Amino acid sequence: MPDMIVVGGGVVGMLTAWTLGQAGAEVLLLEKGETGREASWAGGGIVSPLYPWRYSSAVANLAHWSQDFYPRLGERLLADTGLDPEVHVTGLYWLDLDDQAEALAWARTHGRPLSEVAIGAVHEAVPVLGQGFERAVYMSGVANVRNPRLVKSLREALVRLPNVSLQEQVEVTGFLQDGEQVKGVRTAQGDFTADSVVLAAGAWSGELLAKLGLVLPVEPVKGQMILYRCAPDFLSSMVLAKGRYAIPRRDGHILVGSTLEHAGFDKTPSGEALSSLRASAEELLPALAGMEPVNHWAGLRPGSPQGIPFIGEVPGHQGLWLNTGHYRNGLVLAPASCQLLVDLMQKRQPIIEAAPYAPEGRLVATPIV
């Protein structure tokens, strides 16, 4: 019997299993489909909240720890697996912010390298940037991670750990209980028992927790992206304006995103979103006009109140832990979230103050029908 079962094979679930495994636990990870093929695969991979100054300190504290940790994580995964997640440091320009003064004040308070830049200097640094922008701020050191490669390297890292087992195409349908103790999970393939269960199922976490009569305010929020293929030196830095961004990969691929849609669990890409994303792409980078995107897809983020994830043990259900609800910031918050969870599970001093993420007081009990 494993010490822990992790439910959900996205970046958060896999990194949770990897961190637990590194700490010596016997771990079983269960994924209803293929690992890393939901929100983790679909996102852009910016290792920063899009507008970090607009979030609470709860999100900022996780983000800062993860941003500092990501380069080491990339190096470790490459060394362990031979698969490079491509943590690509490009910096990020924000253009024509309505709250630029607030952004700069936030940077001074938190010691982050964000500064105002003359728009002419931006055009010198990013010659393909469109005209018409008037103001800019820049943060050096901001990276993007190539998330499809990150999930591949994480999966390989898990496979190589002798104390971690991974099973795909196993959908968890409920929980095993002994009084207030959660002792495992139910699946179509049978029951699995463990000392503890970690629910890290992203947008699907709320549906699973409802099996216990608990309302977890995590809901799917659809996001659509498009991808262009350009020369490797086409775009030197990430750029963001009017809520839309362009992200350069090392090989010249350019991601442009993203939409925010409340459409339940529908992941169908739409023509309307494609047109809107192409217009944003061409406003940011006019050289893309007339080019056909090479891909267009949608994913489902786990939306949560204020984007603050749920990390900790579920009150009244001993042995059941949450690591979910990261909304738009799953990739950037994952390393800190997983380390914090493991610190709590193993009763160690947590890396940051854990209270803002605790499920206690943030869940609602309802009758099970």
Short mmCIF file of all heavy atoms in Angstrom, two decimals, residues 38-81:
data_model
loop_
_atom_site.label_atom_id
_atom_site.label_comp_id
_atom_site.label_asym_id
_atom_site.label_seq_id
_atom_site.Cartn_x
_atom_site.Cartn_y
_atom_site.Cartn_z
N GLU A 38 -4.00 18.43 -19.94
CA GLU A 38 -5.10 19.38 -19.75
C GLU A 38 -4.53 20.79 -19.65
O GLU A 38 -3.80 21.21 -20.53
CB GLU A 38 -5.92 18.97 -18.51
CG GLU A 38 -6.66 17.64 -18.68
CD GLU A 38 -7.80 17.69 -19.72
OE1 GLU A 38 -8.17 18.80 -20.16
OE2 GLU A 38 -8.32 16.62 -20.07
N ALA A 39 -4.82 21.53 -18.58
CA ALA A 39 -4.38 22.93 -18.48
C ALA A 39 -2.87 23.07 -18.54
O ALA A 39 -2.35 24.04 -19.10
CB ALA A 39 -4.92 23.56 -17.19
N SER A 40 -2.15 22.08 -18.00
CA SER A 40 -0.68 22.17 -17.99
C SER A 40 -0.10 22.22 -19.39
O SER A 40 0.89 22.90 -19.65
CB SER A 40 -0.09 20.97 -17.24
OG SER A 40 -0.55 20.93 -15.91
N TRP A 41 -0.71 21.48 -20.30
CA TRP A 41 -0.24 21.46 -21.69
C TRP A 41 -0.72 22.70 -22.44
O TRP A 41 -0.03 23.23 -23.30
CB TRP A 41 -0.77 20.20 -22.39
CG TRP A 41 -0.37 20.08 -23.82
CD1 TRP A 41 0.76 19.48 -24.31
CD2 TRP A 41 -1.08 20.56 -24.96
NE1 TRP A 41 0.80 19.56 -25.67
CE2 TRP A 41 -0.33 20.23 -26.11
CE3 TRP A 41 -2.28 21.25 -25.14
CZ2 TRP A 41 -0.74 20.55 -27.39
CZ3 TRP A 41 -2.69 21.58 -26.42
CH2 TRP A 41 -1.92 21.23 -27.53
N ALA A 42 -1.92 23.19 -22.09
CA ALA A 42 -2.57 24.23 -22.90
C ALA A 42 -2.09 25.64 -22.60
O ALA A 42 -2.28 26.54 -23.41
CB ALA A 42 -4.09 24.16 -22.68
N GLY A 43 -1.47 25.87 -21.45
CA GLY A 43 -1.11 27.24 -21.07
C GLY A 43 0.09 27.78 -21.82
O GLY A 43 0.74 27.08 -22.61
N GLY A 44 0.40 29.05 -21.54
CA GLY A 44 1.52 29.69 -22.21
C GLY A 44 2.87 29.43 -21.55
O GLY A 44 3.90 29.47 -22.21
N GLY A 45 2.86 29.22 -20.25
CA GLY A 45 4.11 28.91 -19.56
C GLY A 45 4.90 30.11 -19.08
O GLY A 45 6.09 29.97 -18.77
N ILE A 46 4.27 31.29 -18.96
CA ILE A 46 4.99 32.44 -18.41
C ILE A 46 5.22 32.19 -16.93
O ILE A 46 4.29 31.88 -16.18
CB ILE A 46 4.19 33.75 -18.59
CG1 ILE A 46 3.92 34.01 -20.07
CG2 ILE A 46 4.95 34.93 -17.99
CD1 ILE A 46 3.06 35.25 -20.32
N VAL A 47 6.46 32.33 -16.48
CA VAL A 47 6.79 32.08 -15.08
C VAL A 47 6.59 33.38 -14.29
O VAL A 47 7.50 33.91 -13.64
CB VAL A 47 8.21 31.51 -14.94
CG1 VAL A 47 8.49 31.13 -13.49
CG2 VAL A 47 8.37 30.28 -15.82
N SER A 48 5.38 33.89 -14.38
CA SER A 48 4.96 35.09 -13.64
C SER A 48 3.45 35.21 -13.79
O SER A 48 2.92 34.89 -14.87
CB SER A 48 5.63 36.35 -14.18
OG SER A 48 5.05 37.52 -13.60
N PRO A 49 2.74 35.67 -12.77
CA PRO A 49 1.36 36.10 -13.03
C PRO A 49 1.37 37.19 -14.09
O PRO A 49 2.32 37.98 -14.19
CB PRO A 49 0.91 36.64 -11.66
CG PRO A 49 1.81 35.98 -10.67
CD PRO A 49 3.14 35.83 -11.37
N LEU A 50 0.32 37.26 -14.89
CA LEU A 50 0.29 38.26 -15.96
C LEU A 50 0.42 39.68 -15.41
O LEU A 50 1.12 40.51 -15.98
CB LEU A 50 -1.00 38.14 -16.76
CG LEU A 50 -1.13 36.94 -17.71
CD1 LEU A 50 -2.38 37.08 -18.57
CD2 LEU A 50 0.11 36.80 -18.59
N TYR A 51 -0.27 39.95 -14.30
CA TYR A 51 -0.20 41.27 -13.67
C TYR A 51 0.04 41.04 -12.18
O TYR A 51 -0.90 41.12 -11.37
CB TYR A 51 -1.50 42.04 -13.89
CG TYR A 51 -1.84 42.27 -15.34
CD1 TYR A 51 -2.72 41.42 -16.02
CD2 TYR A 51 -1.27 43.33 -16.04
CE1 TYR A 51 -3.02 41.63 -17.36
CE2 TYR A 51 -1.58 43.55 -17.38
CZ TYR A 51 -2.45 42.69 -18.03
OH TYR A 51 -2.75 42.90 -19.35
N PRO A 52 1.27 40.77 -11.76
CA PRO A 52 1.50 40.32 -10.39
C PRO A 52 1.08 41.32 -9.33
O PRO A 52 0.71 40.93 -8.22
CB PRO A 52 3.02 40.08 -10.35
CG PRO A 52 3.58 40.77 -11.54
CD PRO A 52 2.51 40.75 -12.57
N TRP A 53 1.09 42.61 -9.65
CA TRP A 53 0.73 43.62 -8.66
C TRP A 53 -0.77 43.65 -8.39
O TRP A 53 -1.21 44.28 -7.43
CB TRP A 53 1.20 45.00 -9.12
CG TRP A 53 0.71 45.35 -10.50
CD1 TRP A 53 -0.44 45.98 -10.84
CD2 TRP A 53 1.38 45.06 -11.74
NE1 TRP A 53 -0.56 46.12 -12.20
CE2 TRP A 53 0.56 45.57 -12.78
CE3 TRP A 53 2.58 44.43 -12.07
CZ2 TRP A 53 0.91 45.44 -14.12
CZ3 TRP A 53 2.93 44.31 -13.40
CH2 TRP A 53 2.11 44.81 -14.41
N ARG A 54 -1.57 42.98 -9.22
CA ARG A 54 -3.01 42.97 -9.02
C ARG A 54 -3.47 41.82 -8.12
O ARG A 54 -4.67 41.70 -7.83
CB ARG A 54 -3.73 42.88 -10.37
CG ARG A 54 -3.46 44.09 -11.27
CD ARG A 54 -4.14 43.95 -12.62
NE ARG A 54 -3.75 45.03 -13.52
CZ ARG A 54 -4.11 45.10 -14.80
NH1 ARG A 54 -4.86 44.14 -15.33
NH2 ARG A 54 -3.69 46.12 -15.57
N TYR A 55 -2.56 40.99 -7.70
CA TYR A 55 -2.90 39.86 -6.85
C TYR A 55 -2.56 40.15 -5.40
O TYR A 55 -1.76 41.03 -5.09
CB TYR A 55 -2.14 38.60 -7.31
CG TYR A 55 -2.66 37.99 -8.58
CD1 TYR A 55 -2.08 38.30 -9.81
CD2 TYR A 55 -3.71 37.09 -8.55
CE1 TYR A 55 -2.55 37.74 -10.98
CE2 TYR A 55 -4.20 36.52 -9.73
CZ TYR A 55 -3.61 36.84 -10.94
OH TYR A 55 -4.08 36.28 -12.09
N SER A 56 -3.16 39.34 -4.52
CA SER A 56 -2.87 39.45 -3.10
C SER A 56 -1.46 38.91 -2.81
O SER A 56 -0.84 38.24 -3.64
CB SER A 56 -3.89 38.65 -2.29
OG SER A 56 -3.70 37.26 -2.53
N SER A 57 -1.00 39.18 -1.59
CA SER A 57 0.30 38.68 -1.19
C SER A 57 0.33 37.16 -1.18
O SER A 57 1.39 36.55 -1.33
CB SER A 57 0.68 39.22 0.19
OG SER A 57 -0.28 38.84 1.16
N ALA A 58 -0.83 36.52 -1.01
CA ALA A 58 -0.87 35.05 -1.01
C ALA A 58 -0.37 34.49 -2.33
O ALA A 58 0.42 33.54 -2.37
CB ALA A 58 -2.30 34.56 -0.73
N VAL A 59 -0.82 35.08 -3.43
CA VAL A 59 -0.36 34.64 -4.75
C VAL A 59 1.08 35.09 -4.98
O VAL A 59 1.92 34.32 -5.48
CB VAL A 59 -1.29 35.17 -5.86
CG1 VAL A 59 -0.74 34.87 -7.24
CG2 VAL A 59 -2.69 34.57 -5.71
N ALA A 60 1.39 36.32 -4.60
CA ALA A 60 2.74 36.85 -4.83
C ALA A 60 3.80 36.03 -4.11
O ALA A 60 4.88 35.77 -4.67
CB ALA A 60 2.80 38.32 -4.39
N ASN A 61 3.52 35.61 -2.89
CA ASN A 61 4.52 34.87 -2.12
C ASN A 61 4.84 33.53 -2.77
O ASN A 61 6.01 33.11 -2.83
CB ASN A 61 4.04 34.65 -0.69
CG ASN A 61 4.00 35.94 0.11
OD1 ASN A 61 4.66 36.92 -0.25
ND2 ASN A 61 3.23 35.95 1.18
N LEU A 62 3.83 32.84 -3.27
CA LEU A 62 4.07 31.59 -4.00
C LEU A 62 4.83 31.86 -5.29
O LEU A 62 5.77 31.14 -5.65
CB LEU A 62 2.74 30.90 -4.32
CG LEU A 62 1.97 30.26 -3.17
CD1 LEU A 62 0.60 29.80 -3.67
CD2 LEU A 62 2.72 29.09 -2.56
N ALA A 63 4.42 32.92 -6.00
CA ALA A 63 5.05 33.22 -7.29
C ALA A 63 6.52 33.56 -7.13
O ALA A 63 7.37 33.07 -7.90
CB ALA A 63 4.30 34.38 -7.97
N HIS A 64 6.86 34.37 -6.13
CA HIS A 64 8.25 34.77 -5.95
C HIS A 64 9.14 33.56 -5.66
O HIS A 64 10.24 33.43 -6.21
CB HIS A 64 8.37 35.81 -4.83
CG HIS A 64 7.72 37.12 -5.15
ND1 HIS A 64 7.53 38.10 -4.21
CD2 HIS A 64 7.22 37.61 -6.31
CE1 HIS A 64 6.93 39.14 -4.76
NE2 HIS A 64 6.73 38.86 -6.04
N TRP A 65 8.67 32.68 -4.78
CA TRP A 65 9.46 31.49 -4.45
C TRP A 65 9.66 30.63 -5.69
O TRP A 65 10.78 30.16 -5.97
CB TRP A 65 8.75 30.69 -3.35
CG TRP A 65 9.61 29.64 -2.71
CD1 TRP A 65 10.34 29.77 -1.57
CD2 TRP A 65 9.82 28.30 -3.18
NE1 TRP A 65 11.00 28.59 -1.29
CE2 TRP A 65 10.70 27.67 -2.25
CE3 TRP A 65 9.35 27.56 -4.26
CZ2 TRP A 65 11.12 26.34 -2.40
CZ3 TRP A 65 9.77 26.24 -4.42
CH2 TRP A 65 10.64 25.64 -3.50
N SER A 66 8.59 30.44 -6.46
CA SER A 66 8.68 29.58 -7.65
C SER A 66 9.56 30.19 -8.73
O SER A 66 10.34 29.48 -9.38
CB SER A 66 7.28 29.34 -8.22
OG SER A 66 6.49 28.54 -7.35
N GLN A 67 9.44 31.50 -8.94
CA GLN A 67 10.25 32.16 -9.97
C GLN A 67 11.73 31.96 -9.68
O GLN A 67 12.53 31.72 -10.60
CB GLN A 67 9.89 33.65 -10.04
CG GLN A 67 8.56 33.92 -10.71
CD GLN A 67 8.11 35.36 -10.53
OE1 GLN A 67 8.26 35.95 -9.47
NE2 GLN A 67 7.55 35.94 -11.58
N ASP A 68 12.11 32.08 -8.43
CA ASP A 68 13.51 31.91 -8.06
C ASP A 68 13.95 30.45 -8.18
O ASP A 68 15.13 30.17 -8.39
CB ASP A 68 13.74 32.41 -6.64
CG ASP A 68 13.51 33.91 -6.50
OD1 ASP A 68 13.57 34.61 -7.53
OD2 ASP A 68 13.25 34.38 -5.37
N PHE A 69 13.00 29.52 -8.05
CA PHE A 69 13.32 28.09 -8.06
C PHE A 69 13.34 27.49 -9.46
O PHE A 69 14.05 26.51 -9.70
CB PHE A 69 12.27 27.36 -7.20
CG PHE A 69 12.46 25.87 -7.10
CD1 PHE A 69 13.46 25.34 -6.29
CD2 PHE A 69 11.65 25.00 -7.82
CE1 PHE A 69 13.64 23.97 -6.19
CE2 PHE A 69 11.83 23.63 -7.72
CZ PHE A 69 12.82 23.11 -6.90
N TYR A 70 12.62 28.07 -10.40
CA TYR A 70 12.43 27.45 -11.71
C TYR A 70 13.72 27.14 -12.47
O TYR A 70 13.87 26.05 -13.04
CB TYR A 70 11.51 28.29 -12.59
CG TYR A 70 10.19 27.59 -12.86
CD1 TYR A 70 9.01 28.04 -12.28
CD2 TYR A 70 10.11 26.46 -13.68
CE1 TYR A 70 7.80 27.40 -12.50
CE2 TYR A 70 8.91 25.82 -13.91
CZ TYR A 70 7.76 26.29 -13.32
OH TYR A 70 6.57 25.64 -13.53
N PRO A 71 14.70 28.04 -12.51
CA PRO A 71 15.93 27.68 -13.23
C PRO A 71 16.58 26.42 -12.69
O PRO A 71 17.04 25.56 -13.45
CB PRO A 71 16.82 28.92 -13.04
CG PRO A 71 15.84 30.05 -12.86
CD PRO A 71 14.72 29.46 -12.07
N ARG A 72 16.60 26.27 -11.35
CA ARG A 72 17.17 25.04 -10.76
C ARG A 72 16.33 23.82 -11.09
O ARG A 72 16.86 22.74 -11.33
CB ARG A 72 17.27 25.21 -9.24
CG ARG A 72 18.42 26.08 -8.78
CD ARG A 72 18.42 26.22 -7.27
NE ARG A 72 17.36 27.11 -6.82
CZ ARG A 72 16.78 27.03 -5.62
NH1 ARG A 72 17.14 26.09 -4.76
NH2 ARG A 72 15.85 27.90 -5.28
N LEU A 73 15.00 24.00 -11.11
CA LEU A 73 14.13 22.88 -11.46
C LEU A 73 14.40 22.43 -12.89
O LEU A 73 14.49 21.22 -13.16
CB LEU A 73 12.66 23.29 -11.31
CG LEU A 73 11.63 22.25 -11.74
CD1 LEU A 73 11.73 20.99 -10.89
CD2 LEU A 73 10.21 22.83 -11.68
N GLY A 74 14.51 23.39 -13.81
CA GLY A 74 14.79 23.03 -15.20
C GLY A 74 16.10 22.28 -15.34
O GLY A 74 16.19 21.28 -16.06
N GLU A 75 17.14 22.77 -14.65
CA GLU A 75 18.44 22.10 -14.71
C GLU A 75 18.38 20.70 -14.12
O GLU A 75 18.96 19.75 -14.66
CB GLU A 75 19.48 22.94 -13.96
CG GLU A 75 19.80 24.27 -14.63
CD GLU A 75 20.59 25.19 -13.74
OE1 GLU A 75 20.94 24.78 -12.61
OE2 GLU A 75 20.87 26.34 -14.17
N ARG A 76 17.65 20.55 -13.02
CA ARG A 76 17.54 19.25 -12.36
C ARG A 76 16.80 18.25 -13.25
O ARG A 76 17.24 17.09 -13.41
CB ARG A 76 16.80 19.42 -11.03
CG ARG A 76 16.46 18.12 -10.32
CD ARG A 76 17.68 17.45 -9.71
NE ARG A 76 17.33 16.20 -9.06
CZ ARG A 76 16.86 16.10 -7.82
NH1 ARG A 76 16.67 17.18 -7.08
NH2 ARG A 76 16.58 14.92 -7.31
N LEU A 77 15.70 18.68 -13.85
CA LEU A 77 14.94 17.76 -14.70
C LEU A 77 15.74 17.37 -15.94
O LEU A 77 15.70 16.21 -16.37
CB LEU A 77 13.61 18.41 -15.10
CG LEU A 77 12.57 18.53 -13.99
CD1 LEU A 77 11.37 19.35 -14.46
CD2 LEU A 77 12.11 17.16 -13.50
N LEU A 78 16.46 18.31 -16.52
CA LEU A 78 17.30 17.99 -17.67
C LEU A 78 18.37 16.98 -17.29
O LEU A 78 18.61 16.00 -18.00
CB LEU A 78 17.93 19.26 -18.23
CG LEU A 78 18.93 19.08 -19.38
CD1 LEU A 78 18.28 18.37 -20.57
CD2 LEU A 78 19.51 20.42 -19.80
N ALA A 79 19.01 17.20 -16.13
CA ALA A 79 20.07 16.28 -15.70
C ALA A 79 19.51 14.89 -15.39
O ALA A 79 20.15 13.88 -15.70
CB ALA A 79 20.77 16.85 -14.47
N ASP A 80 18.32 14.84 -14.79
CA ASP A 80 17.75 13.56 -14.38
C ASP A 80 17.14 12.78 -15.53
O ASP A 80 17.12 11.54 -15.50
CB ASP A 80 16.67 13.78 -13.31
CG ASP A 80 17.25 14.15 -11.95
OD1 ASP A 80 18.50 14.16 -11.82
OD2 ASP A 80 16.46 14.43 -11.03
N THR A 81 16.61 13.50 -16.55
CA THR A 81 15.81 12.81 -17.57
C THR A 81 16.36 12.97 -18.99
O THR A 81 15.96 12.22 -19.88
CB THR A 81 14.37 13.35 -17.57
OG1 THR A 81 14.36 14.70 -18.06
CG2 THR A 81 13.77 13.32 -16.18
#
